[in-house]
């Protein structure tokens, strides 16, 4: 940003200075300027600056232009001033936009093409059009009464300013002053040239008009300007032209020089014409000279690079005239012939060849023509010490415009090692042929056109070719069924590749499949060129069949083992998960039962206790559902069915999901039939169906959404509908939403929580209740509706009230017993012991296996309620120790654990347990066990 501000200030300063010079030196105060320098400064600024900075220049130059006009043309109307400024900005922007692709970045005027485009495009054509528009606006606004004269003066003034000012600015912006500073003589020459030009100017403009014989003095500056153009380029030329222009304007204004006569308009036109006539040709000449200078420098660099490259080559390089006279030899050439370059230059190369090779070399050179300027030949070349080495000479002829040879260049590459290798290859090739004829394998040798050269007898046998003679025949003729991929292999090997395949097949014309392993590699001739390819093949059809059968059996065994391992890991995971989830449920269940045995004085406490009891039971069932994931797939879930009224079940399900609805601020509308809705089903599973549907709607509906639950009777069915305004269901997902582990995902939204088993479980449970479920939705973002249809119970069986019966049974309670409770979960042990004490039992508590054995010795318990996963000594070892005692009555051993798989029950039975209860333990079931134990002892 700092550089941009500095550049803007410089442009504004230059613009004001140029305008002050132009308006301050006008022939008539308030009249038109003979040369408008700000136009050149503005054009150069836009060409050198990034396009994104143009607006900054325009904004900064507007107040500069206003101030300039106020200082030198205060009588100009504001509207005319703004039109003039807009014309300048538009002219410079259009010219810069047209010239930037031509001049490059940074812009350069170092060629005739670029300078010509700059002068005729940017400084002539663009002003020609833009100033016509500006003067047209002046004329229409009444600022001028004639179109031609103002337009001509404005166009010429801006052309002169652009050529004389913009060209040197662009030159120095691209090249700087480095070229002059590095050469003191050039600096002195530039100073001398400037001094001579200044001294010559009075000869042209010091005399008064009226002396026609002195008109020839107008050419006085030209020699010096030519000097500047040729020696210093467009930069210095522009500065010298500016000196001439300023002197011409000042002297003409003083009434001296060749342009001081005539009307003001004629004088202005004459001055502007003079400026353009001397500046345009000289600028083009400067660009042309600069272009040639750059080309010459490039040529010198190219020649130096050529010499440096050639001198460092290991190959023998020389140049000679058509008669064989050397004009150049490199160091390697001199070293080979043991002579210096001075000794060889001027000699003829034929004298270094044996006499019998000279006619061959002369004929070889004669065959080089403009149509075939490059040719190669291999020759043995004797060295200075008598040794002979093979050289591959690559000669190039250089011809003039009439097709006559001017010079030859020869490059000799030592190929002695290659020649020796070719001889070795030639011998090995014959050995290969002998090997192929006698090898006991299927081998064939082909040329580059895939024609048989030689093959082994086994080739005919393996491929069932009989006694055919294959030499000279195409491989693709013998095997027309050759697949395209093999043909591609042949092409790759003919290009130098080696291909191997240990397991491939092809189909014969009779439809049979042959398996084989093969290797294809190229072979080389005596010139070390690829002469063709060799096949090594082995038919492995029978072996392949045996391997396929073996792999199939191994794969089956691996799959079976993997399935067994997965099943084992699944059982271990579910058992552990069950144990960890059931442990915290055990003390909650016991705490609820303790609350039931107490008589609360507040109905709200009773309500809260019942809610906790229902939710704990529901959570227990959900844990069981998680363990039944595998059984869902196998269809092994069983129902505890009874006659139920669906309305209280709906109420329980709503209570279970109410915390989620409250947390997400959902609006839940419930419409349940007032009449009883008898269903023959499992209450917990029906609660699970409804709560899963409500949970699903809540999770896939945005916070604050609306959900409607409708339960009504339609004929012989109960129809339950859950409708939401959530994300909806795409048409292709309406059936898949009931698949296991399926969730709807939407781009740009996070994935919903859950395992994706809720709706799958709902569908299975609904079908087990002889019902059906349907998903409805108008598409993504349009909400969804899940409709469940269940059959109405048709008999007169009474609706069971399980909760009341259980409470009465609990109230009666068992007879007192001595009970030992063992559990490392303190809350679970304490809650169970408190419940048992409220039922008048004598209870001791232990938290590890060793403490349990000590307590058993002290109290001789009637019943031991024993956890399995204990510290110090696990429950199985405690049970074995208790069963091994013979000093008291045999206690009832009850295992209480979170592990409930079949193998877990087998382990506890083997350790001596009488019963296996899964946490959380149902208090009613525990009472039943205690009563059974008492009755057995009685």
């Amino acid at each position: 940003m700092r550089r941009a501000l500095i550049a803007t200030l410089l442009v504004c300063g230059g613009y004001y200075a140029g305008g002050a010079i132009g308006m301050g030196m006008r022939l008539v105060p308030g009249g038109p300027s003979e040369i408008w320098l700000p136009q050149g400064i503005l054009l150069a600024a836009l060409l050198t600056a990034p396009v994104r900075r143009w607006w900054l220049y325009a904004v900064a130059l507007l107040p500069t232009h206003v101030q300039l006009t106020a200082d030198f043309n205060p009588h100009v109307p504001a509207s005319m001033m703004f039109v003039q400024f807009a014309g300048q900005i538009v002219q410079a922007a259009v010219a810069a936009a047209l010239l930037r692709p031509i001049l490059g970045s940074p812009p350069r005027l170092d060629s005739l093409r670029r300078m010509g485009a700059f002068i005729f495009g940017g400084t002539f054509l663009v002003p020609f059009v833009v100033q016509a528009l500006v003067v047209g606006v002046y004329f229409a606004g009444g600022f001028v009464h004639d179109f031609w004269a103002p337009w001509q003066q404005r166009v010429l003034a801006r052309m002169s300013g652009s050529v004389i000012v913009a060209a040197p600015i662009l030159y120095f912006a691209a090249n700087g002053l480095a070229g002059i500073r590095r050469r003191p003589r050039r600096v002195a020459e530039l100073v001398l040239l400037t001094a001579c030009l200044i001294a010559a100017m009075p000869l042209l403009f010091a005399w008064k008009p009226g002396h026609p014989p002195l008109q020839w003095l107008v050419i006085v500056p030209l020699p010096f300007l030519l000097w500047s153009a040729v020696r210093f380029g467009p930069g210095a030329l522009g500065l010298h032209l500016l000196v001439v222009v300023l002197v011409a304007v000042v002297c003409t204004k003083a009434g001296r020089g060749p342009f001081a006569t005539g009307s003001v308009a004629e004088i202005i036109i004459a001055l502007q014409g003079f400026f353009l006539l001397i500046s345009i040709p000289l600028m083009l000449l400067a660009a042309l000279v600069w272009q040639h200078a750059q080309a010459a420098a490039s040529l010198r660099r190219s020649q130096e690079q050529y010499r440096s490259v050639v001198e460092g080559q290991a190959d023998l390089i020389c140049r000679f005239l058509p008669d064989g006279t050397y004009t150049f030899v490199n160091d390697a050439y001199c070293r080979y012939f043991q002579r210096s370059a001075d000794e060889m230059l001027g000699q003829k190369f034929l004298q270094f060849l044996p006499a019998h090779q000279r006619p061959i070399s002369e004929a070889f050179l004669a065959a080089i023509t403009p149509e075939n300027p490059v040719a190669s030949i291999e020759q043995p070349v004797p060295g200075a010490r008598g040794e002979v080495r093979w050289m591959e000479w690559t000669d190039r002829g250089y011809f003039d415009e009439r097709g006559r040879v001017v010079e030859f260049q020869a490059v000799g590459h030592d190929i002695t090692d290659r020649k020796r290798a070719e001889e070795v290859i030639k011998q090995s090739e014959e050995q290969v042929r002998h090997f192929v004829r006698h090898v006991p394998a299927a081998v064939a040798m082909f040329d580059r056109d895939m024609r048989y050269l030689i093959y082994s007898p086994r080739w005919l046998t393996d491929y069932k070719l009989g006694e055919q003679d294959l030499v000279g025949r195409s491989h693709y003729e013998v095997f027309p069924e050759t697949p395209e991929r093999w043909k591609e292999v042949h092409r790759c090997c003919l290009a130098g590749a080696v291909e191997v395949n240990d397991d491939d097949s092809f189909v014969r014309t009779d439809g049979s499949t042959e398996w084989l392993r093969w290797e294809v590699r190229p072979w080389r001739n005596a010139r070390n060129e690829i002469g063709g390819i060799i096949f090594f093949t082995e038919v492995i059809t029978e072996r392949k069949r045996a391997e396929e059968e073996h792999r199939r059996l191994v794969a089956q065994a691996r799959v079976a083992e993997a399935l067994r391992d997965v099943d084992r890991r699944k059982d271990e995971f579910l058992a552990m998960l069950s144990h960890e989830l059931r442990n915290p449920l055990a003390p909650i269940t016991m705490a609820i039962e303790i609350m039931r045995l107490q008589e609360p004085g507040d109905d709200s406490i009773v309500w809260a206790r019942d809610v906790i009891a229902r939710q704990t039971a529901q959570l227990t069932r959900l844990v069981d559902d998680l363990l039944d994931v595998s059984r869902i797939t196998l269809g092994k879930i069983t129902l505890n069915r009874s006659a139920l009224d669906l309305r209280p079940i709906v109420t329980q399900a709503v209570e279970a999901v109410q915390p989620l609805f409250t947390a997400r601020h959902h609006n839940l509308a419930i419409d349940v039939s007032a009449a009883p809705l008898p269903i023959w089903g499992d209450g917990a599973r029906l609660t699970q169906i409804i709560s899963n549907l409500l949970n699903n709607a809540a999770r896939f509906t945005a916070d604050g959404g609306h959900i409607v639950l409708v339960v009504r009777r339609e004929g012989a069915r109960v129809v339950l509908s859950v409708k939401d305004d959530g994300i909806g269901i795409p048409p292709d997902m309406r059936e898949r939403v009931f698949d296991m582990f399926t969730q709807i995902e939407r781009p740009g939204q996070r994935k919903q929580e859950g395992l994706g088993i809720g709706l799958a479980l709902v569908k299975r449970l609904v079908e087990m209740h002889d019902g059906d479920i349907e998903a409805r939705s108008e598409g993504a973002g349009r909400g969804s509706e899940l409709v469940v249809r269940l059959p109405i119970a048709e008999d007169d069986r009474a609706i069971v009230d399980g909760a009341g019966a259980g409470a009465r049974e609990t109230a009666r309670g068992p007879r007192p017993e001595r009970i030992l409770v063992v559990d490392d979960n303190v809350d679970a042990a304490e809650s169970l012991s408190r419940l048992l004490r409220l039922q008048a039992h004598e209870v001791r508590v232990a938290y590890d296996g060793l403490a349990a054995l000590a307590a058993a010795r002290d109290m001789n318990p009637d019943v031991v309620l024993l956890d399995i996963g204990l510290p110090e000594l696990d429950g199985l070892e405690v049970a074995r120790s208790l069963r091994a005692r013979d000093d008291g009555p045999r206690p009832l051993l009850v295992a209480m654990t979170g592990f409930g798989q079949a193998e877990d029950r087998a382990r506890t039975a083997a350790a001596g347990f009488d019963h296996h209860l899964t946490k959380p333990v149902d208090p009613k079931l525990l009472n039943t066990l205690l009563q059974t134990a008492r009755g057995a002892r009685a």
Side-chain angles (χ1 to χ4, degrees), residues 14 171 200 210 226 249 297 306 458 596 647 879 899:
Y171 175 84
L226 284 171
V249 173
Y306 169 79
R458 183 70 175 271
R596 280 206 179 102
R647 293 176 300 167
F899 298 102

Side-chain angles (χ1 to χ4, degrees), residues 369-554:
T369 63
E371 293 75 21
N372 298 290
V374 180
S376 297
I377 188 173
E378 296 178 359
Q379 287 181 321
V381 179
R385 298 177 180 177
E387 76 279 9
V388 177
R389 300 190 68 82
W390 278 88
M391 294 288 176
E392 180 182 30
W393 292 101
T394 300
D395 286 20
R396 171 182 287 276
Y398 296 92
F399 301 85
D400 59 17
E401 62 277 2
R402 288 182 291 181
R404 294 181 302 182
V405 65
V406 176
E407 192 176 27
F408 290 100
Q409 175 179 284
V411 178
H413 181 67
D414 191 336
I415 59 171
T416 304
D417 293 339
R418 193 190 77 188
K419 282 292 187 179
R420 293 171 180 168
E422 288 176 355
E423 186 62 28
V424 173
I425 291 173
K426 187 175 181 180
Q427 296 175 2
S428 62
E429 183 178 332
E430 186 59 34
Q431 294 172 355
V432 168
R433 291 177 178 272
H434 179 78
F435 166 77
V436 170
R437 291 190 188 98
H438 299 89
V439 67
V443 181
M445 187 173 180
F446 302 85
D447 63 12
R448 294 192 62 85
D449 296 324
M450 291 303 295
R451 291 189 296 266
Y452 281 90
L453 297 177
I454 192 172
Y455 49 88
S456 67
R458 183 70 175 271
W459 183 274
L460 298 175
T461 302
D462 283 359
Y463 296 107
K464 304 172 184 178
L465 298 175
E467 299 297 329
Q468 299 183 51
D469 184 7
L470 304 180
V471 175
R473 294 179 60 185
S474 170
H475 178 65
Y476 306 135
E477 174 192 345
V478 177
F479 292 97
E481 67 271 25
T482 302
E484 183 60 33
R485 57 188 176 86
W486 282 8
K487 293 180 180 180
E488 181 61 28
V489 169
H490 303 161
R491 288 190 286 268
C492 291
C493 293
L494 286 171
V498 175
E499 300 285 345
V500 178
N501 194 322
D502 292 328
D503 189 9
D504 204 352
S505 65
F506 76 99
V507 180
R508 291 185 176 275
T509 53
D510 61 2
S512 62
T513 300
E514 291 284 2
W515 290 88
L516 66 157
R517 62 173 300 275
W518 51 261
E519 178 177 336
V520 183
R521 59 176 59 246
W523 61 267
R524 295 183 178 273
N525 57 24
R527 295 183 300 276
N528 200 29
E529 299 170 345
I530 295 177
I533 56 177
I534 300 179
F535 280 17
F536 301 89
T537 67
E538 178 186 359
V539 177
I540 57 171
T541 303
E542 294 302 323
R543 191 184 78 187
K544 179 66 177 178
R545 290 170 183 165
E547 289 176 353
E548 287 294 331
E549 180 64 19
H550 175 70
R551 280 195 291 269
R552 186 182 65 81
L553 295 175
V554 171

